Amino acid sequence: MNRSALNINGLSYTRQGVEILRNIDLFVEQGEFFALLGPSGSGKTTLLRLLAGLDHAQKGEMILGKRLLNELPPWERDVGLVFQGFSLWPHMSVMENIAFGLQERRLDRKDIQYRVESIMELLGLRPLKDFYPHQLSGGQQQRVALARALVIQPKLLLLDEPLSNLEHPLRLQMRRDLRLLQRKLGITMILVTHDQEEALSIADRIAIIRDGEIHQVGTPSALYDFPVSTFVAQSIGMANLIPGKISQEAAHTCSFYSDALGYQRIDSNLIGRREGNAVLCIRPHAIDLFPIDAVRDGCYLWAEGIVESLEFTGNAIFYQIKVGEQLLCISQPHLIGVAATPAGTPVLLALDFAQARIFFGSSEEMAQ
């Protein structure tokens, strides 16, 4: 299949006086599985529709390979699109649904038959070729929708939350199948999703989008470990956000004060010589749980709390710990023979500052 890089430069789109996308700059590499992650209404699907030619941007350009897409009609863009609801023709069989796009392009009958049979073989649809959509399971319908998009041999395949209508176990399986298929074909794909786990597990890189703007682009691990804002931190995995204030004390030390943690001394080289309102962001796995009388050392930030609730998930136990007036989420690995700490137990928390992030500004400002 053809492979091509995508460049989006200064793309903006307004609908009925409302700015949906503003100054989007994005590069997607050849053969990359790219994800757009953000809440409902952030502009994810609108961006796909612009790429597919279903809507038209007022500003900016979209370049696929060496071709400017902006003024091309949808059928000349070499772009495939799989909708959230699959949108299969109910009166057509599996084979007829897959062949539809090729027939619209007036391809030779033998070429159509070869392409359709090849893609059905690849996706395991050959035994279902004479079935109709109402006779198929959700996973089977999704594979037909993928086959219909892939059979036209697009340079770019767009996926608009294609797994959201599937039951959880099937969604996990289809997620793995989709990733394997993408690697096998080497096709460039862009997935729109609001599911953090889905984006983390399937994408080579992710763009975090909110209110029509891209906040950060990076690999799943880079976004998880080095978010640039509290919004990005909460968009990728779970994050504890502790509001407080940074004050400089000496040449190489500063203090972080919060109602939850009290005064904590920090090496100022880790955050730079800045002062003011700040939010400490720390992941649940970067906080350890100890008995209340455990010995403290200088490697961690320490706080006392009470177990409010806990949730056993098999490989881990998630605790909600009340520290002052704030609840902190803590993840501890489950070990055979080691009992969970029951609710109501006073505990000591060790926060690994090396795995934390400091964002300057108040929590209210960061929520804007």
Side-chain angles (χ1 to χ4, degrees):
M1 292 224 174
N2 293 326
R3 304 166 68 197
S4 185
L6 173 70
N7 279 284
I8 300 175
N9 302 308
L11 195 69
S12 296
Y13 176 71
T14 300
R15 183 171 59 234
Q16 297 179 345
V18 178
E19 194 173 32
I20 309 299
L21 295 173
R22 63 180 66 87
N23 297 321
I24 298 293
D25 292 318
L26 195 62
F27 173 76
V28 179
E29 297 179 359
Q30 293 182 0
E32 186 174 29
F33 202 133
F34 196 90
L36 291 170
L37 176 64
S40 298
S42 59
K44 307 183 301 296
T45 296
T46 297
L47 181 53
L48 286 201
R49 291 179 61 86
L50 293 175
L51 289 168
L54 303 180
D55 291 320
H56 301 282
Q58 290 87 10
K59 178 185 174 184
E61 60 183 15
M62 302 170 289
I63 302 172
L64 183 60
K66 297 181 179 180
R67 303 174 71 210
L68 181 66
L69 297 181
N70 294 54
E71 301 305 323
L72 293 177
W75 54 89
E76 292 184 9
R77 295 192 177 204
D78 290 328
V79 174
L81 175 59
V82 177
F83 294 98
Q84 181 177 350
F86 309 143
S87 300
L88 301 178
W89 296 108
H91 62 287
M92 292 184 182
S93 68
V94 166
M95 176 175 278
E96 291 168 338
N97 264 284
I98 296 171
F100 179 78
L102 299 177
Q103 292 168 345
E104 290 294 301
R105 286 165 173 77
R106 303 293 192 269
L107 269 66
D108 178 80
R109 180 177 294 181
K110 288 185 178 179
D111 190 18
I112 292 176
Q113 183 175 355
Y114 173 76
R115 287 206 204 179
V116 171
E117 289 182 352
S118 297
I119 200 69
M120 286 195 304
E121 185 69 28
L122 180 65
L123 292 172
L125 293 170
R126 188 181 290 275
L128 305 174
K129 65 185 182 67
D130 295 323
F131 282 49
Y132 288 84
H134 73 274
Q135 297 174 297
L136 304 176
S137 68
Q140 291 167 340
Q141 290 185 45
Q142 192 232 33
R143 289 204 299 275
V144 175
L146 276 172
R148 185 178 60 183
L150 289 168
V151 77
I152 65 172
Q153 298 180 350
K155 292 180 179 178
L156 174 67
L157 181 60
L158 309 174
L159 306 168
D160 188 9
E161 304 207 45
L163 310 181
S164 61
N165 292 329
L166 303 180
E167 297 293 333
H168 184 66
L170 180 58
R171 188 185 311 163
L172 296 180
Q173 181 60 49
M174 292 306 300
R175 195 164 71 194
R176 290 188 287 267
D177 291 347
L178 186 60
R179 184 54 170 153
L180 290 172
L181 177 67
Q182 188 270 338
R183 286 176 176 167
K184 184 172 184 177
L185 297 177
I187 191 173
T188 306
M189 291 188 183
I190 298 180
L191 169 73
V192 156
T193 182
H194 64 269
D195 187 318
Q196 298 180 19
E197 182 181 322
E198 187 170 285
L200 285 169
S201 65
I202 204 172
D204 296 311
R205 287 190 305 143
I206 302 169
I208 307 297
I209 185 170
R210 180 177 71 166
D211 296 334
E213 295 182 319
I214 291 179
H215 286 239
Q216 189 175 355
V217 179
T219 64
S221 59
L223 293 177
Y224 187 86
D225 293 336
F226 304 105
V228 298
S229 66
T230 57
F231 171 70
V232 173
Q234 292 178 300
S235 297
I236 296 289
M238 299 176 64
N240 294 295
L241 303 179
I242 305 172
K245 188 172 184 178
I246 295 285
S247 300
Q248 295 295 329
E249 293 187 343
H252 299 293
T253 61
C254 61
S255 65
F256 175 74
Y257 173 78
S258 69
D259 292 338
L261 304 181
Y263 282 97
Q264 300 283 346
R265 284 195 171 181
I266 299 170
D267 184 345
S268 60
N269 291 323
L270 297 176
I271 60 173
R273 295 193 60 80
R274 293 186 60 182
E275 292 187 309
N277 293 326
V279 174
L280 174 67
C281 172
I282 188 164
R283 302 290 186 183
H285 71 269
I287 306 176
D288 283 329
L289 200 64
F290 290 95
I292 191 67
D293 57 354
V295 177
R296 311 182 189 198
D297 60 38
C299 298
Y300 298 95
L301 307 183
W302 296 90
E304 297 181 4
I306 297 175
V307 177
E308 183 156 291
S309 64
L310 61 153
E311 179 183 355
F312 177 69
T313 62
N315 63 335
I317 302 171
F318 286 88
Y319 292 94
Q320 293 285 334
I321 309 293
K322 190 72 173 292
V323 181
E325 295 302 314
Q326 183 161 359
L327 278 177
L328 298 183
C329 179
I330 299 169
S331 171
Q332 300 287 278
H334 166 61
L335 302 174
I336 295 177
V338 179
T341 303
T345 304
V347 291
L348 188 62
L349 307 182
L351 290 76
D352 185 356
F353 187 76
Q355 297 191 61
R357 299 280 289 169
I358 288 285
F359 301 112
F360 282 88
S362 68
S363 55
E364 290 78 13
E365 292 170 338
M366 295 181 191
Q368 300 301 315

